[in-house]
Amino acid sequence: MNKVLVFLEQRNGQIKKSSFEVLAAAKKLVDTVDAVVAAGSVEAPEAAGKFGAASVTVLKSADFENYTASGYAKAVADFANDNGYDTLFFAHSAMGKDLAPRVAAKMDAGIAVDVVEFAKDGDDVIATRPVYAGKALLDVKLVSDKKVFTTRPNIFVAEEVGADATVNEVAIGSADLSVTVTELVKSEGKLDVAEADLIVSGGRGLKEAENFKMVEQLADTLGAAVGASRAVVDAGWRPHAEQVGQTGKTVSPNLYVAVGISGAIQHLAGMRSSKYIVAINKDKDAPIFQIADYGITGDAFEIVPELIKEIKKTKSE
């Protein structure tokens, strides 16, 4: 690894927390890490220096106000090739999963995705990633001259380790826009489970979509985001954006409340790093209790309303 570059995601000009986690992952391997962000405009890019970036280059274009796979991929790959970067890191987010393989293809680089740990073996990098729905871990060594990695969100801890980074701007005159994003619509008032400190998730034990209002009420009372198991999403009760687990989002909140979720291995893979886990399930042998810090065996339709009542009472005192 000669020169390392981290791609920073931004949304509405704000660099995402997951990108700072990627910087932390890269800093485990090398002392000097640079960063790049594609944007029409971005607020305080120098702040990435606090999380390990020596420099931040803004690839600036009016066409980059919204994400464009073709435009971002060409701009990032050209910048990396022109400046001699041989190792690139991305977050394993929706954008990263779309962008990283495109950049790797343009750079003729090998790629390892969804990495949860890095280690060095001499001059080689060993990337560890889950396989078989999280039942096993696979160590990967890329043998290509250029390498691309994506890191799982909420695994690496973003800690402030330095001062502001130097910032450079590169004007992108004509972006490659085979596809153009015309509008982004965000659900108003909803917290993103991937970035929330408090999450209340519901599972198949709620029996039907209408009963999910109980989970929403508990989440509102706590000021938490709403999550869901895969079974619930597959049934059409909740949108995929709320799915927690191996095929959904990986979360690491301070508090994770699982209501009516049995705890299949795929779900546990996405939330087991939560600081505190509270499980509510009528099945005393449900796998979720094996990792829960606090478990309540009983009917969620009786327990959750009482829990909401007690939380409101405590808040009013």
Side-chain angles (χ1 to χ4, degrees):
M1 298 176 67
N2 296 317
K3 294 187 70 176
V4 174
L5 184 67
V6 169
F7 176 77
L8 305 177
E9 288 187 27
Q10 60 83 19
R11 180 67 58 86
N12 297 324
Q14 300 282 338
I15 296 175
K16 299 193 72 173
K17 167 180 165 282
S18 58
S19 293
F20 298 140
E21 296 171 0
V22 182
L23 282 169
K27 287 289 288 183
K28 290 168 67 74
L29 299 172
V30 292
D31 294 329
T32 303
V33 175
D34 295 321
V36 63
V37 56
S41 61
V42 61
E43 294 182 19
E46 67 276 3
K50 293 183 172 66
F51 299 93
S55 69
V56 179
T57 299
V58 181
L59 304 178
K60 195 169 185 180
S61 170
D63 294 327
F64 289 167
E65 286 292 346
N66 292 325
Y67 172 63
T68 157
S70 57
Y72 275 37
K74 183 178 187 305
V76 172
D78 286 350
F79 175 77
N81 283 329
D82 292 345
N83 291 276
Y85 292 101
D86 62 1
T87 307
L88 276 67
F89 289 81
F90 297 78
H92 194 68
S93 58
M95 184 188 296
K97 287 186 279 189
D98 186 51
L99 181 61
R102 297 171 186 268
V103 173
K106 289 180 179 295
M107 295 181 64
D108 195 23
I111 183 170
V113 301
D114 199 21
V115 178
V116 296
E117 187 57 79
F118 289 101
K120 295 195 74 173
D121 181 15
D123 293 332
D124 295 320
V125 174
I126 306 299
T128 301
R129 59 181 301 270
V131 292
Y132 303 121
K135 293 187 177 78
L137 296 173
L138 177 68
D139 288 340
V140 178
K141 180 172 73 173
L142 300 179
V143 297
S144 54
D145 291 333
K146 296 180 180 180
K147 303 171 178 63
V148 172
F149 300 99
T150 69
T151 63
R152 178 175 289 196
N154 294 311
I155 294 294
F156 298 94
V157 179
E159 296 179 328
E160 294 193 15
V161 295
D164 286 351
T166 59
V167 177
N168 309 296
E169 283 192 4
V170 174
I172 306 298
S174 178
D176 179 3
L177 299 177
S178 58
V179 176
T180 302
V181 177
T182 58
E183 183 183 17
L184 289 173
V185 179
K186 182 180 179 181
S187 298
E188 294 298 327
K190 288 190 176 182
L191 297 171
D192 184 351
V193 289
E195 299 183 3
D197 287 329
L198 305 173
I199 298 173
V200 180
S201 281
R204 194 162 40 191
L206 292 170
K207 298 182 180 179
E208 60 183 53
E210 184 67 21
N211 294 332
F212 224 91
K213 289 180 180 178
M214 185 171 64
V215 170
E216 292 178 327
Q217 290 169 356
L218 179 56
D220 287 341
T221 305
L222 289 169
V226 174
S229 68
R230 177 175 177 173
V232 163
V233 173
D234 286 349
W237 297 1
R238 306 300 294 182
H240 184 266
E242 295 179 1
Q243 183 177 325
V244 174
Q246 182 72 23
T247 54
K249 293 182 178 179
T250 302
V251 300
S252 187
N254 287 323
L255 174 65
Y256 188 88
V257 182
V259 181
I261 296 176
S262 62
I265 187 67
Q266 292 88 347
H267 187 80
L268 301 185
M271 46 67 72
R272 67 187 314 142
S273 61
S274 303
K275 187 172 182 181
Y276 296 106
I277 299 171
V278 176
I280 302 171
N281 200 293
K282 66 180 181 181
D283 180 6
K284 64 181 178 61
D285 296 319
I288 191 74
F289 287 127
Q290 296 178 14
I291 67 165
D293 297 284
Y294 301 95
I296 305 174
T297 303
D299 188 344
F301 297 102
E302 297 176 1
I303 294 167
V304 173
E306 289 299 318
L307 191 56
I308 293 171
K309 189 185 301 182
E310 288 299 318
I311 293 170
K312 287 181 176 179
K313 180 181 176 181
T314 301
K315 283 187 171 183
S316 64
E317 292 177 352

